[in-house]
Amino acid sequence: EEVPVVSTALYDTDFPGFVEALGAAYGQFGFVILQDHGLSMELIDSAQACSRKFFAMSKEEKMRYNVAGQGGARGYTAFGVETAKGSQHHDLKEFWHRGRELEPGHRFEALMPPNAVVAEGGFTAATAEIFSALDALGGKVLEALAVHLGQKRAYFADKVDDGNSILRVIHYPPLAREGEDGEQALARAGHVRAGAHEDINLITLLLGADEGGLQILARGRCEGGGKDEGEPAWLEVNPPPGCVTCNIGDMLQRLSNHRLPSTTHRVVNPPPERAHLPRYSMPFFLHPNPDFLIETLQTCVSAECPNRYPEAISSDDYLQERLREIKLK
C-alpha cells in the first residue's frame, strides 16, 4: 500500500475529480501526496538552502531568536524541548516557527504575536514566501474537503483567512558524531527523531524531506496478523522530489466526526549508514481563526455515526490544551 499521489491541477481542470481523489485518499490513509501544486523548485530549493544556513549557526547565535513566554509560537526552539503527547522522551530536533503577519491593532493581535526576524541571509524572506504559498495551496485543499463533507465550496474561506497557522522549519541533527559508528550512534540516541503523534490543526502541508523516515500508522492493520492483531503496521511515506505531503489534523477530524481521520505518524531514525546525515523538513500547520468554534458538522452525523463531540470548543482553547500536552507550554 502507498499513499496516493494526486495532481493539484485537477483543482482547475476537474474539480469534482479533485474532490473525489482527495476524499478517497484521506478516507483510507488520512494522507495524500500533492504534485503539480504550483510551488516552484527554485523557491523550495532557496528556502531549504536558507534553512541549512540558519541551523548551521552556533547554539548561542540561534538562541538570540528564542522568544521567551510564547510556548515556541515564534522564532527558535532548541533541541530537546518538544515531546510527543504521552511520550517520556523528547524529539531529536530543533525548529523555527513563523506565523501570520497581522496589521497593528488586529483583533487577534494578543493571540498571534509578531514574527522574529533573522538578520543573517535570506531566511526571513524565504520562509515568508513559503508560508504564503502553502497557505494558498491549503485553501484549495480545504475547498475540496468542504464539498466532500457536504458543505458549500467556500465553507472554510472566512474561517481560516486569519488563521493561527504556523510554518515550522525543522532540523534533525545527525545522530552519529564525526567518525562514530552508526550502530553505536543509534543505540546512544535512545529515541526516534519524532515520536508517534497526530497533528493539532486542520491540515498539514509538508515540504521535504531530503532524507526519509516519515511513517504513518496503517489504520486497522497490523504486522504479523490480521486486523488489530500483532504489532502496529507502519507505512513508509516517500514522496517524489518537490511534492507536498498533506495530512488531516485533529481539529478537522473532530469537525468531521472522524469522517476525515487524523492519522498517527512519526519520523524514525535512519539506517546506520546514514546516521551521520541531518534531515530537514518544512511542515505548514494550517489552523482556523482563533475564535472558530469546532462544532461537529451535521452532515457528518447519522444514526450509524452519532456525534462523538457534543460539546463545541474554540480552536484557540483546543490549541492551548494540546500545546501543554506536548510541553511547549
Side-chain angles (χ1 to χ4, degrees):
E1 290 185 319
E2 293 183 347
V3 174
V5 178
V6 174
S7 173
T8 316
L10 291 172
Y11 174 87
D12 295 311
T13 62
D14 180 12
F15 187 73
F18 189 52
V19 172
E20 183 178 0
L22 291 186
Y26 285 131
Q28 183 174 1
F29 295 98
F31 272 71
V32 71
I33 296 170
L34 300 173
Q35 63 181 10
D36 309 317
H37 46 65
L39 279 75
S40 70
M41 282 306 301
E42 181 181 6
L43 171 60
I44 295 170
D45 290 344
S46 173
Q48 290 176 335
C50 291
S51 300
R52 287 182 173 87
K53 288 180 181 178
F54 173 78
F55 287 115
M57 294 194 301
S58 68
K59 181 178 179 181
E60 290 73 24
E61 290 177 302
K62 288 180 287 191
M63 284 302 292
R64 289 192 287 125
Y65 301 105
N66 177 261
V67 185
Q70 292 186 3
R74 298 292 186 270
Y76 174 70
T77 295
F79 184 89
V81 175
E82 187 173 55
T83 304
K85 178 182 176 181
S87 176
Q88 299 301 311
H89 305 280
H90 63 72
D91 289 346
L92 307 179
K93 66 189 180 192
E94 57 181 342
F95 57 86
W96 176 274
H97 272 174
R98 178 184 184 85
R100 188 177 303 280
E101 294 283 359
L102 299 178
E103 294 292 330
H106 192 282
R107 63 192 178 115
F108 294 139
E109 193 174 48
L111 299 173
M112 297 160 62
N115 285 300
V117 177
V118 177
E120 298 84 358
F123 183 73
T124 296
T127 53
E129 195 168 354
I130 288 287
F131 184 105
S132 296
L134 291 177
D135 197 28
L137 177 59
K140 293 181 177 181
V141 172
L142 288 179
E143 283 186 44
L145 293 182
V147 174
H148 177 68
L149 296 174
Q151 305 298 308
K152 293 182 179 179
R153 180 168 170 171
Y155 170 79
F156 285 105
D158 64 351
K159 299 169 180 63
V160 300
D161 54 345
D162 287 324
N164 194 7
S165 299
I166 292 287
L167 176 67
R168 171 179 284 192
V169 186
I170 308 176
H171 172 224
Y172 303 90
L175 298 177
R177 304 185 184 104
E178 187 174 351
E180 184 181 14
D181 177 75
E183 293 279 6
Q184 293 178 348
L186 293 175
R188 176 174 49 78
H191 189 44
V192 295
R193 281 177 156 167
H197 65 281
E198 300 80 42
D199 292 344
I200 300 170
N201 40 293
L202 291 173
I203 59 173
T204 301
L205 300 104
L206 172 69
L207 271 174
D210 45 4
E211 284 293 307
L214 177 62
Q215 296 181 339
I216 67 172
L217 185 63
R219 301 173 64 234
R221 293 173 176 79
C222 296
E223 297 171 352
K227 183 175 181 180
D228 298 331
E229 297 177 6
E231 294 296 317
W234 293 92
L235 301 179
E236 300 278 347
V237 181
N238 294 304
C243 287
V244 172
T245 303
C246 185
N247 62 282
I248 304 298
D250 285 352
M251 288 186 183
L252 189 50
Q253 174 177 261
R254 180 172 177 139
L255 184 69
S256 69
N257 203 32
H258 289 229
R259 184 172 169 186
L260 294 171
S262 177
T263 300
T264 304
H265 51 287
R266 65 185 183 182
V267 178
V268 297
N269 293 339
E273 64 273 14
R274 302 190 70 81
H276 64 289
L277 296 173
R279 184 180 191 271
Y280 300 88
S281 67
M282 288 184 285
F284 177 76
F285 302 114
L286 196 155
H287 282 259
N289 300 348
D291 61 355
F292 173 64
L293 200 62
I294 308 174
E295 189 170 15
T296 310
L297 295 172
Q298 288 307 300
T299 53
C300 299
V301 176
S302 66
E304 295 76 25
C305 299
N307 189 354
R308 297 170 183 249
Y309 306 102
E311 291 188 18
I313 185 172
S314 77
S315 67
D316 187 64
D317 284 345
Y318 187 82
L319 172 63
Q320 301 310 318
E321 177 183 300
R322 291 292 299 276
L323 290 177
R324 287 189 288 271
E325 291 175 343
I326 62 174
K327 301 182 181 178
L328 285 181
K329 283 230 168 175

